[in-house]
């Protein structure tokens, strides 16, 4: 019943008749900031001399404390926090297609308890590197503490970036007889690519890697948009999605990589502008 309820909640607005006239052919762009969270996931690491999986790994986001003009309103630094950028085009009065870039951040909780399966040799990677002998061995769902000092630090902090194409439906909820105010209910679905910039230290080897196309994902979202005028609006949105990353860069050395699947959730607020709307 719960699954049916959520599907109905998402699909119901698409069954309603459009109530907002004259918006077909217009554009909009919005910018905002998010908080994100992640379900625990397994992370698989492979390379010369090792092939192992860490189970049920916990991670969190890394929001930048609000500091006004120092970061958030600084033209050189405003993209440092966890941000959202979307550009949309109305193909119908109540139906929009948009391109989005959700810049989330993913940080593995350090020194957490996990389980490990697989093998780790005395020398790993290419060129070969001798690791702490404590970690050498063969494991089968063995209890394991992920030591941040000399085993693993794992982050997508210069971006757990989700680039997506989304279809959005708008339903008018409230519109006074006088003025330009209007409250709308928005629901959407999306497909996209995951383009992280991963900062990894595995066996103390690693670096802040460059962006790469690491995987793909799908998402759904719902939210409210308050149109303040014909040009200006504010929206708040809740989004959830599933991503699979098959090519995560780790040490930066030949043959080393990781893969994982991540369920994510985020909530964000954004300020936007509409233009090109018909009179």
């Amino acid at each position: 019943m719960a699954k049916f309820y959520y599907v109905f909640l998402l699909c119901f607005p698409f069954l309603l008749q459009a109530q907002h006239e004259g918006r077909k052919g217009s554009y909009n762009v919005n910018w905002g900031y998010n908080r994100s969270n992640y379900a625990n996931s397994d992370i698989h690491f492979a390379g010369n001399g090792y092939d192992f999986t860490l189970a049920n790994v916990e991670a969190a986001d890394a929001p930048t404390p609000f500091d006004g003009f120092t970061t958030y309103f600084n033209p050189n630094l405003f993209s440092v926090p966890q941000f959202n950028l979307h550009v949309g085009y109305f193909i119908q009065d109540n139906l929009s297609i948009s391109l989005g870039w959700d810049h989330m951040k993913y940080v593995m909780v350090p020194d957490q308890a996990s389980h490990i399966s697989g093998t780790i040799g005395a020398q790993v990677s290419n060129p070969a590197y001798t690791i702490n002998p404590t970690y050498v061995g063969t494991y089968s769902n063995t209890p394991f503490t992920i030591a941040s000092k000399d085993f693993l630090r794992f982050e997508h902090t210069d971006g757990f970036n989700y680039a997506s194409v989304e279809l959005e439906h708008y339903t008018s909820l409230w519109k006074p007889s006088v003025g330009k105010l209007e409250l709308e209910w928005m629901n959407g679905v999306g497909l996209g690519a995951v383009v992280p910039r991963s900062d990894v230290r595995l066996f103390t080897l690693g670096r802040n890697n460059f962006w790469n196309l690491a995987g793909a994902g799908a998402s759904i979202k719902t939210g409210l948009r308050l149109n303040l005028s014909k040009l200006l609006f504010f929206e708040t949105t809740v989004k959830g999605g599933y991503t699979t990353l098959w090519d995560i860069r780790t040490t930066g050395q030949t043959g080393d990589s990781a893969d994982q699947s991540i369920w994510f959730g985020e909530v964000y607020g954004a300020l936007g502008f509409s233009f090109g709307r018909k009179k």
Side-chain angles (χ1 to χ4, degrees), residues 1 20 26 35 66 69 75 86 88 95 98 124 129 168 182 185 190 196 212 214 216 223 227 254 261 264:
M1 287 297 296
H20 198 304
S26 67
R35 288 297 308 268
F66 183 76
F69 286 94
H86 291 85
L95 197 62
S98 70
V124 299
Y129 177 78
E168 302 159 339
E182 182 179 16
W185 181 22
N212 73 301
N227 295 305
T254 302
S261 295
F264 73 88

Side-chain angles (χ1 to χ4, degrees), residues 8 25 44 50 54 56 61 85 95 97 99 119 141 168 173-174 182 184 205 237-238 240 245 261 271:
F8 176 79
H44 172 239
Y50 66 96
L54 296 172
N56 204 35
D61 66 349
L85 172 64
L95 197 62
I97 187 167
L99 300 176
T119 59
N141 199 35
E168 302 159 339
L173 297 178
W174 171 77
E182 182 179 16
E184 296 181 284
L205 296 172
T237 302
V238 177
L245 287 71
S261 295
L271 186 66

Side-chain angles (χ1 to χ4, degrees), residues 7-253:
V7 171
F8 176 79
L9 185 65
L10 178 66
C11 296
F12 176 70
F14 290 85
L15 306 176
L16 302 179
Q17 186 176 358
Q19 301 180 46
H20 198 304
E21 298 180 356
R23 193 157 58 180
K24 180 180 178 180
S26 67
Y27 297 86
N28 64 88
V29 59
N30 65 75
W31 176 280
Y33 296 100
N34 70 70
R35 288 297 308 268
S36 56
N37 56 76
Y38 310 96
N40 291 3
S41 64
D42 297 347
I43 310 177
H44 172 239
F45 295 87
N48 291 318
Y50 66 96
D51 188 330
F52 66 90
T53 298
L54 296 172
N56 204 35
V57 175
E58 181 182 359
D61 66 349
T64 302
F66 183 76
D67 55 8
F69 286 94
T70 301
T71 302
Y72 282 81
F73 303 139
N74 184 332
N76 296 319
L77 299 175
F78 67 93
S79 64
V80 170
Q82 301 175 173
F83 71 84
N84 297 71
L85 172 64
H86 291 85
V87 179
Y89 173 77
F90 277 91
I91 56 178
Q92 298 292 335
D93 289 340
N94 66 340
L95 197 62
S96 171
I97 187 167
S98 70
L99 300 176
W101 184 270
D102 294 11
H103 175 77
M104 298 172 280
K105 296 187 179 183
Y106 176 103
V107 181
M108 186 193 74
V109 174
D111 304 309
Q112 65 179 280
S114 179
H115 287 75
I116 186 172
S117 298
T119 59
I120 301 176
Q123 289 193 317
V124 299
S125 197
N126 183 22
Y129 177 78
T130 302
I131 68 169
N132 185 337
T134 302
Y135 303 124
V136 177
T138 299
Y139 303 90
S140 179
N141 199 35
T142 306
F144 186 80
T145 298
I146 308 173
S148 59
K149 180 180 179 180
D150 61 354
F151 188 78
L152 178 64
R153 288 191 291 117
F154 185 87
E155 305 177 356
H156 307 301
T157 43
D158 277 342
F160 178 63
N161 300 306
Y162 176 57
S164 61
V165 178
E166 298 180 325
L167 187 66
E168 302 159 339
H169 183 277
Y170 294 83
T171 302
S172 182
L173 297 178
W174 171 77
K175 183 176 175 63
S177 57
V178 179
K180 302 297 183 182
L181 282 177
E182 182 179 16
L183 182 65
E184 296 181 284
W185 181 22
M186 180 274 296
N187 289 269
V189 295
L191 294 173
V194 183
V195 190
R197 185 169 182 178
S198 305
D199 190 350
V200 179
R201 302 296 185 277
L202 177 62
F203 311 123
T204 71
L205 296 172
R207 63 184 182 184
N208 189 351
N209 295 278
F210 201 67
W211 294 280
N212 73 301
L213 177 58
S219 59
I220 60 173
K221 65 180 181 178
T222 187
L224 296 174
R225 173 180 287 192
L226 179 62
N227 295 305
L228 303 171
S229 69
K230 290 199 302 183
L231 300 178
L232 183 66
F233 64 87
F234 176 80
E235 68 177 39
T236 180
T237 302
V238 177
K239 178 186 289 189
Y242 173 80
T243 60
T244 178
L245 287 71
W246 54 77
D247 184 24
I248 301 170
R249 294 177 175 175
T250 55
T251 67
Q253 300 194 164

